């Protein structure tokens, strides 16, 4: 069993019943946040890059929960945590963790810190393969990601302006060969306002993926 809980923007938690993985914990100052930084739980935090709407509350949550934090070294260098809690990686690397593993993959986006790069993650947990795209434009190597791994769920940004929009995200789902897609990174502010139901129609017409729209504060089981 693997549970997905959406907390708004690009922040979600994967929970296999024993371990809790949290992505890009921007909660304080997030108008769509469905939980506070003081209450969210995590054993591992995955950071895709250092922009404030992704790096967010990583320091405070890691201090409170004792979570390990994964990211590129330049992003981790912004944190004031014991070295044993920081797991630096770079593109193409795989890290084994108590819940399974993560592989750091390319994202086409700026990093928010000098010398760093933005990334996404292929997460193996609870018998599922989950692709967290982070902030990204569409890029042709998404076809390779789909060939490299049988992706059960792809968490794709659809907000446009800062990331790919609905049309490109629908094409990305096709290239990835994902069985399921959950849209993220939209409706936080007017600049990235989107209708997720329209994206669902677009994506399901363009690919074999089934789209599940999860509202902030909702949880679903990844089947």
């Amino acid at each position: 069993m693997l549970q997905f809980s959406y907390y708004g923007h690009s922040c979600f938690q994967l929970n296999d019943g024993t371990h809790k993985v949290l992505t890009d914990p921007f909660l304080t100052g997030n108008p769509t946040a469905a939980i506070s930084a003081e209450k969210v739980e995590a054993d591992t935090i995955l950071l895709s890059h250092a922009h404030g709407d992704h790096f967010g509350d990583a320091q405070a949550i890691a201090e409170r929960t004792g979570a390990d934090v994964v990211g590129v070294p330049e992003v981790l260098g912004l944190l004031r945590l014991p070295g044993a809690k920081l797991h630096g990686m770079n593109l193409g690397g795989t890290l084994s963790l108590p819940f399974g593993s993560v592989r750091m993959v390319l994202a086409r986006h700026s990093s928010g810190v000098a010398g760093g790069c933005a990334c996404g993650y292929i997460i193996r947990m609870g018998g599922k393969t989950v692709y967290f795209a982070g902030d990204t434009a569409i890029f042709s190597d998404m076809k390779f990601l789909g060939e490299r791994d049988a992706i059960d769920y792809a968490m794709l940004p659809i907000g446009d302006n800062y990331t790919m929009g609905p049309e490109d995200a629908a094409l990305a789902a096709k290239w990835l060969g994902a069985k399921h897609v959950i849209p993220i990174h939209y409706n936080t502010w007017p600049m990235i306002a989107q209708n997720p139901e329209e994206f669902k129609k677009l994506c399901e017409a363009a690919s074999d993926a089934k789209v599940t729209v999860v509202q902030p504060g909702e949880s679903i089981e990844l089947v």
Side-chain angles (χ1 to χ4, degrees), residues 65-81:
T65 63
D68 296 326
V69 187
V70 179
V72 299
E74 292 84 356
V75 171
L76 297 186
L78 301 175
L79 295 168
R80 299 177 303 281
L81 294 169

Side-chain angles (χ1 to χ4, degrees), residues 138 157-158 160 164-173 194 198-199 202-203 206:
I138 191 171
I158 67 166
D160 214 344
M164 58 186 174
E167 294 82 5
D168 281 356
L171 181 56
Q194 299 293 340
E198 289 300 317
F199 168 71
L202 187 67
C203 187

Side-chain angles (χ1 to χ4, degrees), residues 195-205 209-213:
N195 183 336
E197 296 298 334
E198 289 300 317
F199 168 71
K200 176 181 172 71
K201 294 176 185 176
L202 187 67
C203 187
E204 292 182 346
K210 175 178 173 57
V211 175
T212 302
V213 176

